[in-house]
Every structure is written in C-alpha cells, then in structure tokens.
Amino acid sequence: MNVSSYPDGNVRRDWTREEIAGLFALPFLDLVMRAQTVHRAYFAANEVQISQLLSIKTGGCPEDCGYCSQSASHATGLKASKLMDVADVVADARAARDAGATRYCMGAAWRSPKDRDVEAVCEMIEGVKALGMETCVTLGMLSGPQAQRLKEAGLDYYNHNLDTSPEYYTEVITTRTYQDRLDTLENLRAADIAVCCGGIIGMGEQREDRVGLLHSLATLPVHPESVPINSLVRVAGTRLGDSAPVDAIEFARVIAVARILMPKSMVRLSAGRGELTDEAQALCFLAGANSIFYGDKLLTTPNPEESRDRKLMRTLGLVPMQPAAT
Ligand code: SAM
Ligand code: DTB
Ligand code: SF4
C-alpha cells in the first residue's frame, strides 16, 4: 500500500495542516503501522544511514537561538575556538569512516560564513570526499554564490533547519527570520545541493507547532533529502535549558508523521538519542527513522557511545546503509 504518493509515483507536497493534525491524532499503533508500511515501500526495512558530526568552529556565535550552547548570548561555559585546520578535520573523518560512518557532517557556529571561510571549508570538503565519504556542512545562512562554490568543491548535503513552526519560531530565535531560512534553502536548491532540513522537538512548543513544522517541510518545493528530527538537548545556561523533557511516544509520533509525509526522505533520529532508552529508539526506527549520528559527541553535547549503538544495531538486526553510487 503506497499511501503517500500520487498515482504517477510522485510524492505529495500539498498536505494540509488538518490532514497532518489528523495523522497525529490516529491511534498510536495505526500511525506506526502506516509509517512502517510507507517506509518499506521506499527503503530497505533494516538499513540505517550513519553520519558523524564534527564541530569545525565552536562557540561565540552572534545568533540568539534559545536552544544552543554556542550562542554568545548564553553563559554555558563552552570554550570558543577558531576554525580547525584542514588536516585535523580530514584525520577525524578518516577515523569516522573506519568506524562505519558513510557521511561526514561539519558544523560551524556562524550566522553566515565569510567568503574566505567558505574557501577553507571547500578544502575540507575536498579532503573528506577523497576518503570516499559523502559530505555535509552546516555553516548558517548562505548566499547563492557561496552555495555554488560549495557545490563546485563537491559538497553533497547542506544542513539548515527550520527548527519549529513559523508561529513558534520567534519564541526561539530573534536574530534571523523564518524567511531567511527559506531563502537559504532556495539558494541550495538553485546550486543543486541536496538539502538536510528538519527541526527540534521539546522547546516548549505545542502539538500544533509540530504540525506546523512538518507542514512547512512537507510543502517545500522539493522535500528535503534528509529530515533530522532533534529532541532538544537541554544545555544548562541556555534560554531553553529548563524545558520539560519530550515524551518518547510523542517523539515517535513526530517521526512517524514525518515518514508518512516525506516518504522518500531519510528521516534522522538526530540529537537527543542519549536520553532515549533502547526501547524508545527501537520505536522510532519502527516509526520510520532510518538515519542516526554515530560517535560519542554531536557538536558540543554527548551522543550515545559507539559501543552502545553497535549493540543496539546488532540487537535490532539493523545494518549500515551504503551511499548510493554517484
Ligand atoms: N550555526 C549554523 C546554523 O544554526 O545554521 C549551524 C549549526 S547549528 C548547531 C545546526 C542545528 O543544530 C540547529 O539548527 C538546531 O536545529 C540544531 N541544534 C543546535 N543545538 C541543539 C540542541 N541543544 N538540541 C537539539 N538540536 C540542536
Ligand atoms: C541537526 O539537525 N542536528 C545536528 C546537526 N543538524 C548539525 C546538530 C545537533 C546539535 C546538538 C547540540 C550540540 O551538540 O551542540
Ligand atoms: Fe549559532 Fe547555529 Fe547555535 Fe544558532 S544554532 S546560535 S546560528 S551555532
């Protein structure tokens, strides 16, 4: 049963908020069954794509994102650092590849990169590509020419999240607008770079904001190739550091609805896995998540240890997905 496509095989991009709210309201088992059915129509059931993250430039960011340890407006005790050397980044990527990661994601705490920063990141992209890995970077807002330059260097994916619904957004960030983010996504599409775009659950938003976030993502001109669903990592000293923890069943619902709305996209069970039990993670995989970050650290916060992840993958019979041949 292919429940998310038009008869010609194209995925739907005309979802309404009412339809999406209706999916959230389904009995949980019906929702998960439907998401798993969609998942199996588009993906190998037991494959999980594995990415590794590195913070190539940490802290001191001028933006005021309420969740972020790296914002200069938060006193989190994080030590700021300059852009890393290319050789150190490539050495870390090699270790990640040898541990099984097929995609390497580099993040920088910038509002937007300067052109000379883009040149340095291009060298990193070339070095990581030469290892046979897919590359992803997240550098903040990007102009059209900067996106073109990254494409020339061989960049595969760019991560730029919408974070939450348009309505809740101003509660979280005031230094850049929702439209700024949509503009960057458009620049990426124009440069033919695959898009990694999702959001964060657990920032004090309501169900309707989760509906609004998924509606924004699922009605973009092209669905993001990767959709990271982050559960807020509550960092002491950030404005949202005291938010209530996310209910694991509600989190699995968000994953399931994302899977149904964007059937061809990779749905990443992203930040916050450290606080999920193995059983809750298994539920998220059942709900259609098929991508994770490996490695003991995300950008600045801990991730489950590799040994725990290996054991979980073995227990669940999940196997790493190989990148599509390019
Ligand atoms: N500075 C760039 C930007 O914001 O565009 C790139 C890096 S930023 C850390 C990438 C994304 O990580 C954010 O958009 C947000 O969705 C996610 N993120 C950051 N801190 C987080 C946290 N504490 N918990 C969950 N997700 C987080
Ligand atoms: C995304 O959506 N999640 C990743 C990635 N994009 C760059 C980042 C998660 C960051 C978690 C908080 C931290 O480690 O600082
Ligand atoms: Fe800066 Fe990105 Fe953190 Fe926002 S999420 S404060 S832009 S590093």
Side-chain angles (χ1 to χ4, degrees):
M1 178 181 50
N2 187 343
V3 285
S4 307
S5 302
Y6 292 114
D8 64 5
N10 286 328
V11 295
R12 286 190 56 189
R13 291 181 28 261
D14 59 355
W15 296 97
T16 64
R17 282 196 179 210
E18 291 67 33
E19 284 177 301
I20 297 172
L23 289 171
F24 269 97
L26 283 173
F28 184 70
L29 300 185
D30 289 348
L31 175 63
V32 170
M33 180 66 189
R34 189 160 158 186
Q36 179 61 208
T37 304
V38 170
H39 186 220
R40 282 167 187 253
Y42 288 90
F43 290 99
N46 300 300
E47 287 186 1
V48 173
Q49 188 262 331
I50 294 175
S51 300
Q52 182 141 337
L53 265 175
L54 177 69
S55 179
I56 56 172
K57 191 270 165 196
T58 305
C61 184
E63 300 290 280
D64 71 350
C65 311
Y67 46 77
C68 187
S69 63
Q70 307 198 68
S71 165
S73 35
H74 294 145
T76 57
L78 184 74
K79 195 168 161 287
S81 59
K82 291 193 317 212
L83 185 62
M84 285 175 69
D85 286 335
V86 176
D88 293 339
V89 173
V90 175
D92 186 78
R94 184 177 289 111
R97 181 197 63 184
D98 294 346
T102 55
R103 190 183 301 172
Y104 194 68
C105 307
M106 295 163 268
W110 287 320
R111 169 176 166 79
S112 53
K114 299 190 179 65
D115 287 346
R116 68 161 191 275
D117 298 326
V118 171
E119 287 310 313
V121 172
C122 284
E123 278 185 53
M124 295 174 187
I125 291 166
E126 283 159 8
V128 175
K129 288 289 287 181
L131 298 170
M133 300 179 89
E134 290 183 322
T135 50
C136 178
V137 296
T138 178
L139 314 173
M141 293 187 285
L142 216 57
S143 70
Q146 289 178 327
Q148 298 286 353
R149 180 67 194 98
L150 291 168
K151 177 70 183 180
E152 273 167 34
L155 181 67
D156 298 297
Y157 289 82
Y158 195 94
N159 166 244
H160 199 65
N161 291 338
L162 290 178
D163 280 350
T164 187
S165 66
E167 295 79 18
Y168 196 65
Y169 182 84
T170 49
E171 299 288 320
V172 180
I173 300 144
T174 68
T175 47
R176 70 167 76 140
T177 65
Y178 214 72
Q179 187 58 47
D180 287 334
R181 290 178 185 259
L182 294 169
D183 291 346
T184 292
L185 297 179
E186 211 176 297
N187 292 338
L188 294 168
R189 283 293 173 209
D192 195 26
I193 295 171
V195 169
C196 170
C197 183
I200 307 177
I201 307 305
M203 301 193 293
E205 77 285 348
Q206 302 298 308
R207 166 76 70 81
E208 66 203 52
D209 297 306
R210 297 170 191 147
V211 169
L213 167 67
L214 294 180
H215 180 258
S216 294
L217 293 168
T219 56
L220 284 169
V222 180
H223 286 168
E225 282 77 2
S226 279
V227 180
I229 305 292
N230 298 281
S231 157
L232 176 69
V233 181
R234 293 169 298 152
V235 179
T238 60
R239 201 151 37 80
L240 297 172
D242 291 328
S243 306
V246 181
D247 172 66
I249 303 285
E250 177 69 5
F251 191 66
R253 272 190 199 278
V254 177
I255 300 261
V257 175
R259 166 53 64 223
I260 293 167
L261 300 180
M262 294 169 279
K264 291 186 179 174
S265 305
M266 309 293 300
V267 175
R268 180 168 309 132
L269 176 53
S270 196
R273 281 197 306 118
E275 287 194 40
L276 293 180
T277 63
D278 285 359
E279 292 81 357
Q281 290 191 61
L283 200 54
C284 291
F285 291 125
L286 193 62
N290 62 345
S291 171
I292 57 169
F293 284 120
Y294 235 31
D296 297 354
K297 204 169 166 196
L298 291 164
L299 290 172
T300 67
T301 64
N303 199 36
E305 289 166 7
E306 249 174 71
S307 53
R308 178 180 159 199
D309 278 345
R310 277 185 204 294
K311 184 161 168 282
L312 180 62
M313 300 260 301
R314 219 177 23 249
T315 305
L316 300 179
L318 296 174
V319 294
M321 186 184 297
Q322 293 311 311
T326 45

